[in-house]
Amino acid sequence: MEQTFDIIVVGGGPAGATAAYKLGQNGVRVLLLDKATSFPREKPCGGGLSARLLDRFPYVREFLANGEVPVNPVSRVHLESPDGTRVTYQQGEPILYLIRRWEFDAALFRRAESVCTVRTGVTVRKCTVLPGHVELESTDGEIFTAPMIIGADSANSVIARHTGLRSEAAHKEYAVDMMEETSYDRLQVADREAIYLFLTLTQTFGYGYIFPKTDRLNLGFGCKLDWYLTALRGKGKEHHAEWVETLKQKGDVTGKTDRSCYKAFPIPVSGPLERTYTDRVLLAGDAGGFVNAFTAEGIYYAMTSGSIAADIALRSIRSGRYDKRQLAAYQSAWQRETGADLAHSVEIQHRLFNGSGRMDSLVRNAANDPELLRLIIGYSMGAARYEELRAHMVRSTVPAWVWGKVKSAVGLGR
Ligand SMILES: Cc1cc2nc3c(=O)[nH]c(=O)nc-3n(C[C@H](O)[C@H](O)[C@H](O)COP(=O)(O)OP(=O)(O)OC[C@H]3O[C@@H](n4cnc5c(N)ncnc54)[C@H](O)[C@@H]3O)c2cc1C
């Protein structure tokens, strides 16, 4: 007998699995579709979880604590500017929790599977919004229908494109991250207790990183898609090998790169789409552009948008109203929680990645100003607010006597 579903979630990554779990837990009949033939599945990613993610989703803290998801918590950062200035920041608490998406996504998926119906090995190729329902067609010609859907099908989202929410001309909106995740038997790093961030990439509009996991080393290099297509022209692997050589010359990495562990994957880095909902459809995670445009942190925003999408979908299902006026509440809800944060990330990306000069002076200033360094790292890891960082930067560029006058004029520090 054919099963009936209240909602279909397309994509079982952090966004989709979070939404599906929340809906299933509330008694909604959910079908979760993913093109992966099974979970665990590979997902190219640095796998850095911010502390705020663990606060927002306490069950993730449990996954890490009970060993379901192996984790390397790091509390040190080596930060290098385009001119080679290096500063090291250290704090008592972990700054970032490094996991492998292989294990992390499987844990989230299993949780969703416990409360909803899942089908893996289903690639959605077409999405049509009809007057009474949404129709999805898979590459095998199978048809799935439901009154509404959540599109959580990643950066190349079919749902976002077929509903007209994302235009085809997306080059300027994407970055590409080229990375390898290789066993320590082959590739080693000088400091396994730290992450390395290299803001070295002027024309490439990006940065490099080394993230040591529990049993593998993850190193990557992100750049704008435009540059990837025009300058690299398909030579991503060669570029990656050169990048690893540079890291070896610096003495940060030893051993051998493993070309079979190399992967490149797109990331949307222009902030959320102008509209993330339409009749019967919500977009969550990368599909909706929910990625920090400065740091490329996406897991936190994927789970947050997935959770908010579930709340709004629940209301629609209970009221039987699926029109875009009803679903507009989704846009307002994510705006309240992450809107300002994501908008700031785009602003910072435009300012800092537009030439190396600003990066150089920022890192050089941070080398002599521990509070500035704390705020830069804190902001980058989601632990400090943009307003705090900006206020400190303004204050440190204004001569002390002017600052004293400003403070007394506005009544601060009395
Ligand atoms: C190399 C790299 C490094 C990164 N490093 C970090 C980091 O350190 N920290 C961080 O927070 N973020 C990082 N990000 C960003 C982060 O990976 C994404 O923002 C996050 O995975 C988004 O989650 P999601 O659920 O929206 O999409 P995904 O995790 O991509 O999941 C989407 C799911 O949808 C399925 N799917 C796709 N298309 C279809 C289809 N047509 N039909 C059916 N199923 C489909 C896929 O199989 C997949 O399981 C990085 C990204 C890259 C590329």
Side-chain angles (χ1 to χ4, degrees):
M1 201 177 68
E2 205 174 285
Q3 270 183 289
T4 309
F5 296 100
D6 300 313
I7 187 164
I8 299 174
V9 178
V10 185
T18 303
Y21 176 75
K22 198 167 195 187
L23 286 162
Q25 210 189 16
N26 279 282
V28 172
R29 293 168 301 176
V30 187
L31 173 62
L32 175 61
L33 300 177
D34 201 287
K35 69 179 181 184
T37 46
S38 63
F39 277 72
R41 56 98 178 89
E42 283 294 351
K43 159 72 181 107
C45 184
L49 305 181
S50 54
R52 67 179 163 179
L53 185 152
L54 274 54
D55 294 339
R56 175 75 161 82
F57 301 97
Y59 54 85
V60 171
R61 208 180 276 283
E62 281 169 37
F63 291 159
L64 306 185
N66 68 22
E68 193 173 351
V69 178
V71 60
N72 181 23
V74 294
S75 44
R76 190 159 51 239
V77 180
H78 302 296
L79 179 68
E80 191 178 292
S81 71
D83 69 3
T85 306
R86 194 176 276 206
V87 287
T88 296
Y89 173 78
Q90 165 98 44
Q91 68 178 37
E93 293 292 300
I95 294 170
L96 209 57
Y97 297 81
L98 301 175
I99 50 85
R100 282 189 70 214
R101 293 291 296 273
W102 178 264
E103 288 121 359
F104 181 71
D105 287 22
L108 294 179
F109 192 82
R110 274 195 294 273
R111 205 162 175 271
E113 199 171 17
S114 68
V115 290
C116 62
T117 304
V118 302
R119 284 276 312 273
T120 50
V122 175
T123 303
V124 173
R125 62 168 285 271
K126 193 170 168 201
C127 167
T128 316
V129 180
L130 295 160
H133 62 275
V134 183
E135 188 177 282
L136 301 173
E137 188 183 330
S138 76
T139 46
D140 295 338
E142 207 174 343
I143 302 291
F144 302 89
T145 60
M148 82 173 284
I149 64 166
I150 294 176
D153 51 339
S154 201
N156 293 321
S157 172
V158 168
I159 308 302
R161 282 184 283 118
H162 286 204
T163 52
L165 291 171
R166 184 185 280 284
S167 75
E168 296 286 341
H171 282 187
K172 295 230 171 312
E173 300 164 24
Y174 281 94
V176 177
D177 197 314
M178 298 163 274
M179 56 151 267
E180 74 174 290
E181 198 168 63
T182 297
S183 158
Y184 286 127
D185 297 341
R186 209 179 151 100
L187 204 56
Q188 301 86 32
V189 64
D191 185 359
R192 242 196 240 189
E193 316 284 309
I195 58 167
Y196 295 67
L197 300 174
F198 302 90
L199 309 170
T200 48
L201 318 159
T202 331
Q203 339 83 298
T204 59
F205 210 82
Y207 61 87
Y209 60 89
I210 306 176
F211 282 8
K213 311 280 173 75
T214 48
D215 60 349
R216 272 151 230 251
L217 188 61
N218 185 167
L219 40 93
F221 185 105
C223 63
K224 286 292 277 222
L225 179 62
D226 276 350
W227 189 82
Y228 180 79
L229 294 175
T230 54
L232 287 189
R233 289 196 223 172
K235 295 214 171 351
K237 263 190 184 176
E238 288 76 0
H239 182 269
H240 179 76
E242 282 168 28
W243 164 238
V244 179
E245 271 315 306
T246 315
L247 297 176
K248 281 180 162 174
Q249 278 158 22
K250 286 178 196 280
D252 296 327
V253 164
T254 49
K256 280 200 174 129
T257 177
D258 184 346
R259 282 169 80 94
S260 69
C261 297
Y262 167 87
K263 289 203 173 58
F265 202 80
I267 318 180
V269 285
S270 289
L273 298 179
E274 204 173 313
R275 198 145 59 75
T276 51
Y277 65 94
T278 186
D279 290 329
R280 302 184 179 276
V281 178
L282 300 175
L283 297 178
D286 282 11
F290 293 99
V291 175
N292 186 300
F294 172 52
T295 60
E297 178 184 7
I299 305 170
Y300 165 75
Y301 299 99
M303 292 181 68
T304 303
S305 59
S307 174
I308 297 171
D311 293 337
I312 302 301
L314 198 56
R315 264 198 255 163
S316 279
I317 292 161
R318 284 183 178 153
S319 67
R321 282 194 54 203
Y322 302 100
D323 56 287
K324 57 177 171 246
R325 282 181 61 187
Q326 169 82 11
L327 295 178
Y330 175 54
Q331 188 103 0
S332 321
W334 69 250
Q335 280 281 4
R336 269 194 301 280
E337 185 167 347
T338 56
D341 182 19
L342 288 166
H344 289 147
S345 74
V346 176
E347 195 182 314
I348 295 187
Q349 182 212 72
H350 290 168
R351 283 194 191 178
L352 287 184
F353 285 111
N354 248 342
S356 55
R358 283 187 175 144
M359 285 286 199
D360 286 334
S361 52
L362 189 67
V363 178
R364 256 187 268 124
N365 290 344
N368 299 313
D369 180 348
E371 180 59 3
L372 177 61
L373 183 58
R374 185 189 73 79
L375 287 169
I376 292 171
I377 301 296
Y379 173 73
S380 305
M381 303 297 149
R385 287 183 311 115
Y386 173 63
E387 288 79 3
E388 289 177 81
L389 173 61
R390 196 178 48 187
H392 185 83
M393 281 163 73
V394 169
R395 207 162 55 224
S396 54
T397 53
V398 174
W401 65 271
V402 177
W403 181 241
K405 281 196 184 303
V406 171
K407 277 210 304 191
S408 63
V410 296
L412 280 173
R414 274 188 200 143

